[in-house]
Amino acid sequence: MGTRLDIDLDRSSPVPLYFQVAEQIAEAIRRGDLTPGARLDNEILLADQLGLSRPTIRQAIQYLVDKGLLVRKRGVGTQVVHGQVKRSVELTSLYDDLRRAGQEPTTRVLSLRPVGADEAIAGVLGVAAGTEVLHLERVRYAGGEPLALLHNWLPAGAGLTSEALAARGLYELLRAAGVRMRVANQRIGARAATPAEARLLDERRGAPLLTMVRTTYDDQGRAVEHGSHVYRASHYSLEVTLIER
Amino acid sequence: MGTRLDIDLDRSSPVPLYFQVAEQIAEAIRRGDLTPGARLDNEILLADQLGLSRPTIRQAIQYLVDKGLLVRKRGVGTQVVHGQVKRSVELTSLYDDLRRAGQEPTTRVLSLRPVGADEAIAGVLGVAAGTEVLHLERVRYAGGEPLALLHNWLPAGAGLTSEALAARGLYELLRAAGVRMRVANQRIGARAATPAEARLLDERRGAPLLTMVRTTYDDQGRAVEHGSHVYRASHYSLEVTLIER
DNA sequence: GACATCAGGATGTCCGGACAAAAACGCCGT
DNA sequence: ACGGCGTTTTTGTCCGGACATCCTGATGTC
C-alpha cells in the first residue's frame, strides 16, 4: 500500500536510528512524496524493510505524531495528517520570527545595566530581593519602523554587550552562551499605549498595544530570563499552535 | 536515595500501567511529597520496586518529562523540575478556563444560523465556497460583566441549540458530540473596539481589545471549528506555556 | 435486504535483556 | 593542593517477542 519510502540509515553515525528515520519521513512529507492522508506501511513491515526492530520504528513515528505531522489510529494505521498544520511555536524570540519572515530586524539598545531586583522581579527570577540583575531595554525595528518595546531582566549577566544585542537577538546570544531554554510561560494581553510608549513606537497616544510577559526557564527549572514586552498591534500579532496529545 | 514513593498498581484495570505510575508520581509532586529538585530513584530500581519492567517505567517518566514535570539527565538521574511551571495550555476554551478559575460564566447567544460560507471562511474550513456552514455569535459574561464577543463557524451543524450553548461551552458540546480536537492554530493580536463592539462589551469606543482567530482541527486534520473572538483587554489575558523537547 | 457475528489487520501495552554514552565521583600521582 | 585518569552510576538506544485492544470489512443468519 504505502508509497515505498527509501530511507537510508547510517549505523555508524552518532545520530540515533529512530531520529534518522523520523527526519527522513518528515522530509518526504515536506517534499510531497507523502501527501496528506497517505497511509504509511504498518510498523512491522516498515521495521522489516529497514532492518530495524518495531520499537525503534515506533519511536520514530511517535516523535512525528508529537510534532503533529502524523496521526495514528489503532486498528487502522498511520497517516500523514490532512491539512497544513503550520509548524511553529518552538521557543523563539521576536528576532528569530522576523528573520524567518525575511525581514531585516534592527535593534536600538536604550539601556543595559545592573539593577537591584525589586520584590516582583526577584520573585519570578527566583533570587533574593535586592540581588543585582541585568536590566535591558530595547526598541526593535523592522522595515525601518518601530515594532516593539522590549524590557528584560536576567539573573546572571552572561557577558552581554550593547554591540552584540544591536546585531543579534537575545535568545540567540543566550543559546550561544550555552543556556538551554526549555520552558516558557507567557501571558498575553492588550492595553492602550502610554504617552512615553507612543512616542517611542511612533503611535498615537492610547493606540492599542499587544503585551506579553514571559518567563523562560532552563532544564533545571531555573529562570533564565524575564521579559515584559509591548508590540504595536497594528504591525504585529502572535501565532501559537497547540497540539493535544 | 529517592523519597520512597508508594504507588499501587491495578493490573486488572484497563488504565495502562505506565499511566497509573505517571499519574501517581504527578500526584505526589502536586501534593508536595516530591519537592522541586528531588531526585527519583533510578529507573532500574524503580522498576524493581514496582514489579514492572524498565521500558514501562521509562514510558511513565517520559510522559511526565513531556508534560514538563520532570527533567532527565544522563548520568545524573531524574529530578522534579524546579520552579512552578504552571501546567496549562491543553486545548481549552474560554468557558473551560473560566470554570476552572472558579468563575461562573454565562452566555448570551446573539445568533445561531446556517450561512453560505464566503471565500475566506470556506478556505480555512476546507469546504467549497457557498457551502452551508453554521455561524454562531455569542457574548460571554463572567461575574455579571461582559467579557468577550465570540464569532464561530462550524462545517457540520452538529445539533447545536441555543439552549445548550447558553448553558455550556462550545468545546464541551463538541467533545460530547464525539469530536476529537487535536490541533489548534491561533493568531493573537489587539485592536481598538468598534462602536458596536464597545456597546456590546460595555467599553468605551476605541478601548483596546485582545483578538484571537483560531482554527481547530481533529485527528484527521479536518477543520472542526473556526472562531474570531475579541476580549476586553481590561478583564482578560491569555496564558500560554511552551515546552521545548 | 438488514443486522449481528466473526476474522484479519493494525496499533497499544508490556516484558526482558544488552550495549553505548554522558556525567559525577574517587583515586592517584605530581 | 591540584589536576588528570579511570571507575561507577544513570539514562539513551536498540533488539525480539508476546498478548491485548480496537477498527474494518466480510461473512452468515434471520
Side-chain angles (χ1 to χ4, degrees), chain A residues 4-22:
Chain A
R4 175 49 135 263
L5 295 169
D6 62 344
I7 291 177
D8 38 66
L9 301 171
D10 179 2
R11 288 194 107 96
S12 68
S13 160
V15 178
L17 292 171
Y18 82 89
F19 195 79
Q20 294 184 34
V21 174

Side-chain angles (χ1 to χ4, degrees), chain A residues 150-173:
Chain A
L150 315 170
H151 282 266
N152 289 92
W153 290 263
L154 298 92
L160 295 173
T161 67
S162 275
E163 292 72 38
L165 283 164
R168 308 170 70 188
L170 175 59
Y171 270 36
E172 197 182 337
L173 293 172

Side-chain angles (χ1 to χ4, degrees), chain A residues 28-42:
Chain A
I29 293 173
R30 252 191 304 278
R31 240 196 340 256
D33 286 0
L34 286 172
T35 56
R39 281 222 308 284
L40 262 62
D41 285 335
N42 73 56

